[in-house]
Amino acid sequence: MYLLDSNIFITAKNLHYGFDFVPAFWDWLEQGHSAGILCSTEKVRKELTIGADELGNWAQSRSRLFLSPDASMVPSMQVLASWAHSGAFTPAAISEFLNVADFELIAYAHAHGHTIVTHERPNPLSKKRILIPDACDALGVPWIGPYEMLRASGVRFILEPSKP
């Protein structure tokens, strides 16, 4: 199962898969969730619904796609928090990380054996920001980019024939 980071939804809306010209992407997200291929977490949904825009409305009306934290995440959250406090990051970076959706997303993936999908790229030398790929690598959580997920899922967005 793929767990989608906030930036997957935001970048899709703003750049590659706008609601107005690639509605198939958004339909596929719903179909992928129904098929048990993908989901995200409640904290990601909250990040998406902060803005009163089309993406926020979309996420608000599809709450089933966003999973709530559960008890099985507690040990993963402890391991992840311990890693964050390991001394490699600034206090501000740790505080931010523990309060944004990334922390919940990684803990959920760790607890349930899921793969995270993000646009972020690793930067193990960063001290001022904890990045998803670096935290995933530290905990042994698999992560990939969105195009890898789309290819691995076999999805194809095919242009409909033009109507006369």
Side-chain angles (χ1 to χ4, degrees), residues 4 30 52 96 118 152:
L4 279 58
E30 291 184 64
E96 178 186 355
T118 184

Side-chain angles (χ1 to χ4, degrees), residues 33-100:
H33 173 69
S34 295
I37 294 171
L38 61 87
C39 59
S40 194
T41 62
E42 180 60 25
K43 206 152 186 182
V44 166
R45 187 185 70 78
K46 287 180 182 174
E47 285 185 0
L48 299 177
T49 58
I50 289 171
D53 63 2
E54 192 171 14
L55 178 57
N57 294 336
W58 182 89
Q60 187 66 35
S61 66
R62 286 156 182 85
S63 59
R64 70 186 190 291
L65 195 140
F66 301 92
L67 305 173
S68 297
D70 59 34
S72 68
M73 291 172 54
V74 172
S76 296
M77 293 171 94
Q78 292 168 336
V79 169
L80 187 54
S82 292
W83 172 79
H85 283 97
S86 67
F89 303 103
T90 65
I94 296 166
S95 177
E96 178 186 355
F97 178 69
L98 296 177
N99 289 297
V100 296

Side-chain angles (χ1 to χ4, degrees), residues 9-26 54:
F9 299 98
I10 295 166
T11 302
K13 176 194 75 104
N14 291 336
L15 297 176
H16 312 295
Y17 303 114
F19 286 101
D20 57 338
F21 64 93
V22 190
F25 174 78
W26 303 96
E54 192 171 14

Side-chain angles (χ1 to χ4, degrees), residues 100-164:
V100 296
D102 298 359
F103 180 74
E104 182 180 275
L105 193 72
I106 297 164
Y108 199 98
H110 184 260
H112 295 279
H114 297 329
T115 299
I116 293 182
V117 182
T118 184
H119 281 289
E120 289 183 10
R121 292 292 163 236
N123 183 1
L125 300 178
S126 174
K127 305 292 181 212
K128 295 182 179 180
R129 182 159 180 248
I130 299 175
L131 298 169
I132 288 174
D134 297 326
C136 285
D137 289 347
L139 270 67
V141 173
W143 63 273
I144 61 172
Y147 305 111
E148 294 160 294
M149 173 192 66
L150 291 170
R151 284 186 178 100
S153 299
V155 67
R156 295 182 61 200
F157 304 126
I158 300 173
L159 185 63
E160 294 177 356
S162 44
K163 296 178 182 174

